[in-house]
Amino acid sequence: MGANMHITEPLPTDKGARLVFGLDWRAYPVKGAKAERRRYADDFGATHYVEFKVGQESIGGFAAPDPTETRGAKLFSGAARIALHERIKSRPAALVLLQDEQRIHLVYVVRGAVRSDEVLSPETAHERRVEIEQECLRLNLALTTLGAGASIGDVDEAFPASALLADRKAGRISKLPVTIPTIVPVALIGIALIVVGNKAIHAFDPPPPPPRHEPTYQEKYAAALKQTFSTPHPLASELGPLLLDQFGRNESVMDGWVFEYAECGATGSCADTYRRAGGTFAGFDHAAPESMRPLKFDADGLHLRTRGHAVPAVHLVTASDSKSWLSEQALIDTLQTPPQRLSVKPYELASHGYVVNLQPSKLLLLAPARPNATRAPLIRQGEWQIDGYRWQASLLARLPPNMSIDTFKVELKTRGEVGVHFTAKGKYYVLE
């Protein structure tokens, strides 16, 4: 059984049945589901599966439970039972958190399909919950959080574990059938040899398959490079100042609520968080324009979340521009303290909260040892973080062209050194 899989004790309604959480899930077309099911089972090294239909798609979960722990038991998927439950399957998005001692079973369902089926500690479950809430805000999905347990936090609706006992047949996990090769009867071979002859048989024999090609390092590196730049990598020097400019035009107070912070990704929309300052949920709901919806009112009564500005489109960092990139040492010399060279007076930056942190870069794919061999320079990738204030946007605008932004957080600080503070995180790319 995988480390992130959990099999419950026998169910009270059926002593031979047990629920399993932590399966790997995939969606594939109903037509041709058998071949897709086998392909994913091979990918996951699975011995068991569960499958149900949502519209024109099959939703499949895959697992490899330990036979010694499940001998004689009937296994059912807890995530499948949640997704098929009447209170869940009709919702645009639902997050279910069920506590079992020190484990949290987290199941995330979007339009009836299981997206996440995880077994987590309470601390990690809280982090995943925040990630899913932010994702739903970016995708404009109305999320309902349900569950039960002392450590899961506030939920929109109670959903006890006993709700999974109602439909005793739902989510049955089956063993994958063994693939049996086609056997040609010996009698037919004998007849063929007599009638057609040995030469004719050989004439129709398919040629032997070519020897399996082991990808070269260059081919593996090309695949890693393609995957790395398959998602947008917005230029930090363009996107950072634009995001700060957008939030500079925001009203910080709206109907008794104060803007607290906003979180943005590389694409989509930002997610804004407001703090109560005398207002009410009903008042904000009435005043909020359509552009801020959907709204998420926190159960603590002190915070709410809205959809924020759209992340503007900017130029991207691409591998084709690598000839213009700074070397890693040049990047360090340009950015970090000391000497924080983006300012005419570098020593002044630290006192105003502008801090650059660069992590060492790593090859996209570890290169084999090749002493005295010559090859083209390879691309290395590292992570960076910059903290500062809005008035320092001009420093962001001077960042080199080999730096991209992954996330950008803007906070309205009202204590200590007040002002609009930003935390930008991203990646930088250099040649060896």
Side-chain angles (χ1 to χ4, degrees), residues 23 38 74 108 151 176 192 212 276 335 346 359 376 421 431:
L23 277 66
R38 170 55 62 184
K74 293 182 291 184
Y108 175 37
S151 302
L176 283 156
R212 185 174 179 180
R276 183 196 291 274
L335 297 181
Q359 297 296 324
H421 181 270
L431 292 178

Side-chain angles (χ1 to χ4, degrees), residues 3-184:
N4 60 343
M5 190 187 302
H6 177 233
I7 301 177
T8 68
E9 295 298 317
L11 302 182
T13 54
D14 185 349
K15 298 300 182 182
R18 301 166 76 177
L19 293 181
V20 184
F21 290 89
L23 277 66
D24 294 301
W25 291 86
R26 290 293 184 270
Y28 38 87
V30 172
K31 187 176 181 181
K34 183 177 179 181
E36 290 294 296
R37 181 195 311 136
R38 170 55 62 184
R39 180 170 70 88
Y40 284 121
D42 291 342
D43 288 345
F44 293 125
T47 57
H48 291 68
Y49 79 102
V50 59
E51 192 173 79
F52 61 92
K53 294 179 182 178
V54 175
Q56 299 301 309
E57 284 191 323
S58 291
I59 311 301
F62 301 89
D66 188 336
T68 61
E69 295 189 26
T70 59
R71 187 173 289 111
K74 293 182 291 184
L75 303 181
F76 295 85
S77 164
R81 286 198 174 184
I82 287 172
L84 294 169
H85 197 279
E86 289 297 329
R87 291 176 58 190
I88 304 296
K89 63 183 182 181
S90 61
R91 298 179 186 269
L95 174 62
V96 177
L97 302 161
L98 298 175
Q99 185 167 2
D100 183 355
E101 297 180 346
Q102 291 305 305
R103 302 183 189 91
I104 303 293
H105 297 141
L106 181 148
V107 178
Y108 175 37
V109 180
V110 176
R111 299 185 179 93
V114 179
R115 287 283 185 87
S116 296
D117 178 8
E118 303 171 58
V119 181
L120 306 170
S121 67
E123 296 77 13
T124 308
H126 175 73
E127 295 172 2
R128 281 289 291 133
R129 175 178 180 172
V130 173
E131 291 172 2
I132 290 169
E133 288 174 347
Q134 297 300 327
E135 176 186 322
C136 289
L137 281 172
R138 288 195 298 271
L139 298 177
N140 199 19
L141 276 174
L143 176 68
T144 304
T145 304
L146 309 93
S151 302
I152 67 170
D154 295 322
V155 294
D156 299 318
E157 299 179 18
F159 189 87
S162 59
L164 305 183
L165 304 179
D167 189 344
R168 297 173 59 180
K169 296 182 179 180
R172 180 65 188 270
I173 296 176
S174 304
K175 193 169 184 178
L176 283 156
V178 177
T179 304
I180 303 175
T182 304
I183 301 174
V184 181

Side-chain angles (χ1 to χ4, degrees), residues 61-372:
F62 301 89
D66 188 336
T68 61
E69 295 189 26
T70 59
R71 187 173 289 111
K74 293 182 291 184
L75 303 181
F76 295 85
S77 164
R81 286 198 174 184
I82 287 172
L84 294 169
H85 197 279
E86 289 297 329
R87 291 176 58 190
I88 304 296
K89 63 183 182 181
S90 61
R91 298 179 186 269
L95 174 62
V96 177
L97 302 161
L98 298 175
Q99 185 167 2
D100 183 355
E101 297 180 346
Q102 291 305 305
R103 302 183 189 91
I104 303 293
H105 297 141
L106 181 148
V107 178
Y108 175 37
V109 180
V110 176
R111 299 185 179 93
V114 179
R115 287 283 185 87
S116 296
D117 178 8
E118 303 171 58
V119 181
L120 306 170
S121 67
E123 296 77 13
T124 308
H126 175 73
E127 295 172 2
R128 281 289 291 133
R129 175 178 180 172
V130 173
E131 291 172 2
I132 290 169
E133 288 174 347
Q134 297 300 327
E135 176 186 322
C136 289
L137 281 172
R138 288 195 298 271
L139 298 177
N140 199 19
L141 276 174
L143 176 68
T144 304
T145 304
L146 309 93
S151 302
I152 67 170
D154 295 322
V155 294
D156 299 318
E157 299 179 18
F159 189 87
S162 59
L164 305 183
L165 304 179
D167 189 344
R168 297 173 59 180
K169 296 182 179 180
R172 180 65 188 270
I173 296 176
S174 304
K175 193 169 184 178
L176 283 156
V178 177
T179 304
I180 303 175
T182 304
I183 301 174
V184 181
V186 175
L188 291 181
I189 296 177
I191 294 171
L193 287 172
I194 294 170
V195 176
V196 182
N198 190 51
K199 291 184 180 180
I201 291 292
H202 285 299
F204 287 97
D205 275 348
R212 185 174 179 180
H213 169 64
E214 179 66 26
T216 64
Y217 175 79
Q218 287 76 11
E219 290 171 332
K220 294 178 181 178
Y221 174 77
L225 185 64
K226 182 178 180 181
Q227 182 178 8
T228 298
F229 289 96
S230 62
T231 55
H233 290 66
L235 203 60
S237 60
E238 292 186 13
L239 183 56
L242 285 176
L243 289 173
L244 281 174
D245 183 60
Q246 284 184 339
F247 288 103
R249 298 194 298 267
N250 267 16
E251 290 291 339
S252 58
V253 180
M254 179 175 172
D255 209 71
W257 294 81
V258 178
F259 173 83
E260 193 166 63
Y261 64 87
E263 295 177 302
C264 309
T267 58
S269 297
C270 301
D272 296 357
T273 296
Y274 285 79
R275 173 173 46 82
R276 183 196 291 274
T280 63
F281 286 165
F284 193 95
D285 188 37
H286 178 75
E290 189 61 33
S291 61
M292 298 179 74
R293 300 178 185 278
L295 306 178
K296 171 70 175 179
F297 297 104
D298 283 11
D300 66 4
L302 300 177
H303 297 88
L304 62 82
R305 307 175 203 285
T306 76
R307 180 169 61 178
H309 293 291
V311 177
V314 298
H315 291 97
L316 305 178
V317 177
T318 62
S320 59
D321 298 327
S322 59
K323 290 183 179 179
S324 65
W325 293 348
L326 294 179
S327 68
E328 186 166 2
Q329 187 57 53
L331 191 72
I332 294 171
D333 293 342
T334 301
L335 297 181
Q336 281 199 302
T337 304
Q340 295 281 22
R341 295 184 186 277
L342 290 183
S343 171
V344 177
K345 297 181 179 179
Y347 59 85
E348 292 184 348
L349 291 176
S351 64
H352 288 98
Y354 187 85
V355 180
V356 180
N357 183 282
L358 295 175
Q359 297 296 324
S361 66
K362 299 178 182 178
L363 282 171
L364 299 183
L365 181 68
L366 189 63
R370 295 175 59 189
N372 303 322

